[in-house]
Amino acid sequence: MEGKNAISPDDLMLILLATAMGTLARYLTLKIDYRQYPTHPNGSLIHLVIAFIAAAIGAVAIPAIKSNNYTAVTFLAIAIQHFRDVRKTERESLKDLECTEFTPRGEAYIDGIAKTFESRNYFSLIVALSTAATIELVRYLGLALPFQTAIGIIVGYVVFIGIRRFSQGKTVGDIASVKLGVIEVRDSELYVDGVFVSNTIGTKNAQKMVQAEGLAVVIEPLKDHYRVTLDNFGQRKAMLFEATRSVGVKRYHYTRKDYESGKTIIVLVPLLQDAEKLINIVRHTPLLESVKKSHSVMKSNILGD
Amino acid sequence: MKQNSIIAAITLSHHKVPHSGEAFIIEASNEEEQYTLMQDIAKALKADVVKLSNGIFILIG
């Protein structure tokens, strides 16, 4: 590649830097995803490679427009189609794993995770695009290469922080108090804090096991209208999934709604007797996008606290 | 994944269950045997057990 068709060193630097910024953006959010979808290292590698391609598409868009190659921008449309396929693939993959988990994630949780994975690719694309656009703009203003690089990185980082805060969802702990409940077995009936949970512990072994080893978590909404979100079947499945995955399940797991008080109760006989871990994980269960019905829950925190 | 269907019912001679649907019914001769049978099946099928107020054990899986 020689002559006027060869890529200039400046453009090459722009593309490389913007691509690196976009890929880094995905890498930084991958740590958050780790809890939701812990396939490591191959799952992480797949997402990093897809992010690299997304970032590269965002990075080359500016030099392409600059060289009057407007059709190159159509790559962005192809990328979006590709990212939708990522969502579809994630959904199918998680659905296939449903029967291998302690309890199923549920359709709503899977949908939320798949959407998150799709949106994270846009992180890479947008960060790379904004970094490239900034470098080009600073170059147009006549500033030297170190300034172009520094300002490009700063703007890319600010954009990353902004969209990360925008897309960051709330958790159960934001709208409800989570505390341990007192388990009580009356014959073959199980109660937590006096609320009936189940009567499927007909054997003495089961009754003894639940009484001695069971852990119960009571989730109480901070405001009455948050019940709409917490009582949602998908949300409860998500909480139960996170609870069972964090401490394991030896035997028995239940969720129950108490319509009078608005409490949601989770009971299980865990493999690990770690009540604090259980409370923490339930508190940090994401509020699913599909069940957010309250405006105060939907608000994004772009500028931070 | 849980289907929550009744797998079996363990009854005593004085219990009358006219139709069992897909679930099978075992009639035990006394309460001790009823409990043992219930445990045997529950262990084998990893089923949850409900004891009805009239003494019948129902296995749910």
Side-chain angles (χ1 to χ4, degrees):
Chain A
M1 292 281 283
E2 284 183 3
K4 65 177 183 179
N5 285 333
I7 189 166
S8 70
D10 284 354
D11 281 347
L12 185 65
M13 190 281 297
L14 179 147
I15 291 168
L16 289 177
L17 185 68
T19 306
M21 285 295 288
T23 312
L24 186 66
R26 183 68 187 100
Y27 174 73
L28 292 173
T29 53
L30 206 56
K31 286 179 182 173
I32 298 168
D33 287 351
Y34 199 81
R35 183 175 57 85
Q36 294 187 340
Y37 189 28
T39 54
H40 184 81
N42 293 320
S44 304
L45 181 69
I46 290 166
H47 287 293
L48 277 177
V49 171
I50 294 170
F52 172 76
I53 292 166
I57 291 167
V60 297
I62 299 297
I65 293 169
K66 212 176 71 178
S67 61
N68 293 330
N69 189 4
Y70 301 117
T71 51
V73 181
T74 55
F75 270 112
L76 294 174
I78 296 167
I80 287 169
Q81 187 57 48
H82 178 65
F83 300 152
R84 283 191 181 155
D85 286 344
V86 169
R87 187 208 298 196
K88 203 174 151 195
T89 311
E90 284 303 326
R91 185 181 286 137
E92 282 168 7
S93 171
L94 289 171
K95 273 186 185 170
D96 289 345
L97 291 172
E98 282 286 74
C99 54
T100 66
E101 306 283 359
F102 287 121
T103 60
R105 281 185 174 86
E107 301 275 335
Y109 199 12
I110 288 176
D111 182 65
I113 294 171
K115 271 184 194 159
T116 305
F117 274 110
E118 183 189 351
S119 73
R120 293 285 155 83
N121 286 307
Y122 296 123
F123 275 36
S124 299
L125 193 140
I126 294 167
V127 168
L129 191 64
S130 52
T131 305
T134 306
I135 292 172
E136 192 58 44
L137 190 68
V138 174
R139 188 185 296 163
Y140 181 74
L141 294 174
L143 294 176
L145 185 67
F147 286 107
Q148 294 171 23
T149 311
I151 296 172
I153 290 172
I154 290 167
V155 169
Y157 185 69
V158 169
V159 168
F160 165 66
I161 296 289
I163 51 176
R164 188 173 70 168
R165 281 192 175 148
F166 174 75
S167 74
Q168 207 162 35
K170 290 196 163 51
T171 62
V172 170
D174 292 329
I175 65 162
S177 70
V178 183
K179 57 182 186 349
L180 273 187
V182 178
I183 292 177
E184 190 189 343
V185 176
R186 300 179 200 161
D187 296 326
S188 60
E189 293 184 344
L190 169 65
Y191 292 81
V192 172
D193 285 1
V195 177
F196 172 80
V197 174
S198 176
N199 65 346
T200 57
I201 48 170
T203 63
K204 287 190 176 62
N205 283 348
Q207 291 158 17
K208 238 187 272 177
M209 184 189 279
V210 171
Q211 184 71 73
E213 299 178 47
L215 283 178
V217 184
V218 179
I219 302 134
E220 195 169 2
L222 298 176
K223 288 179 185 166
D224 202 44
H225 63 271
Y226 290 150
R227 287 175 65 167
V228 181
T229 306
L230 286 175
D231 283 6
N232 181 279
F233 187 52
Q235 186 64 55
R236 282 191 292 142
K237 265 188 154 181
M239 288 189 284
L240 181 65
F241 172 79
E242 289 296 344
T244 56
R245 202 180 56 172
S246 68
V247 289
V249 182
K250 195 171 186 179
R251 190 83 167 84
Y252 309 110
H253 53 78
Y254 309 99
T255 61
R256 193 82 186 180
K257 288 188 285 189
D258 180 24
Y259 288 107
E260 279 183 24
S261 62
K263 289 175 185 170
T264 300
I265 293 165
I266 294 174
V267 189
L268 66 150
V269 179
L271 289 168
L272 308 173
Q273 286 291 330
D274 193 339
E276 203 171 318
K277 189 177 184 183
L278 179 64
I279 290 175
N280 260 331
I281 202 79
V282 172
R283 206 172 271 155
H284 288 101
T285 304
L287 287 183
L288 307 181
E289 273 193 24
S290 58
V291 304
K292 284 181 186 173
K293 306 292 180 199
S294 162
H295 286 290
S296 56
V297 174
M298 286 165 69
K299 274 180 194 164
S300 291
N301 188 13
I302 300 175
L303 298 174
D305 295 322
Chain B
M1 261 179 270
K2 273 194 169 180
Q3 296 299 313
N4 283 332
S5 58
I6 298 174
I7 302 170
I10 322 293
T11 65
L12 291 169
S13 54
H14 65 271
H15 293 130
K16 299 285 178 281
V17 186
H19 302 288
S20 65
E22 286 184 4
F24 67 94
I25 295 181
I26 299 175
E27 189 179 304
S29 54
N30 55 48
E31 282 190 14
E32 196 182 332
E33 189 191 35
Q34 185 196 23
Y35 194 84
T36 312
L37 287 172
M38 174 273 289
Q39 272 194 322
D40 291 345
I41 300 169
K43 277 179 189 167
L45 300 175
K46 292 181 182 170
D48 291 331
V49 179
V50 180
K51 188 180 184 185
L52 303 186
S53 51
N54 65 358
I56 295 177
F57 282 105
I58 285 179
L59 277 71
I60 296 172

